[in-house]
Amino acid sequence: TRRYEAAAGSFRRTVDASPSDDYAQFGLGLALARTGDHGAAAEHLALAAAMRPDLRHYTEALRSVRATLRARSLVEGKE
């Protein structure tokens, strides 16, 4: 429903209560990426991927966010 900020808030509360919840870390990372906060998203996605390296969609989401950060860094460096 494109309520990414609300989703981020819900996932953040879960992460605060249970930092070892890999799915909450993943969900928070995705929600943050969709709100445009790719730096924070990468942190949470990296935690999720480290907790569950067997889940390919975690590592793929992290790779995508990191690629976005690299691309933005290159664009900002050219301006």
Side-chain angles (χ1 to χ4, degrees):
T1 60
R2 298 185 187 261
R3 297 185 58 215
Y4 303 122
E5 289 183 25
S10 293
F11 281 117
R12 187 173 305 282
R13 286 188 293 280
T14 303
V15 165
D16 288 345
S18 182
S20 63
D21 184 332
D22 64 281
Y23 184 76
Q25 294 283 356
F26 175 69
L28 179 54
L30 287 183
L32 290 169
R34 300 244 165 73
T35 65
D37 190 351
H38 291 88
E43 178 182 336
H44 292 283
L45 291 170
L47 287 169
M51 287 185 232
R52 293 293 307 271
D54 56 311
L55 295 180
R56 186 174 177 174
H57 57 285
Y58 284 14
T59 56
E60 288 177 358
L62 175 59
R63 188 175 303 124
S64 175
V65 166
R66 285 181 172 166
T68 298
L69 287 170
R70 279 191 303 275
R72 288 185 177 177
S73 175
L74 290 173
V75 168
E76 290 171 2
K78 291 183 180 182
E79 293 178 2

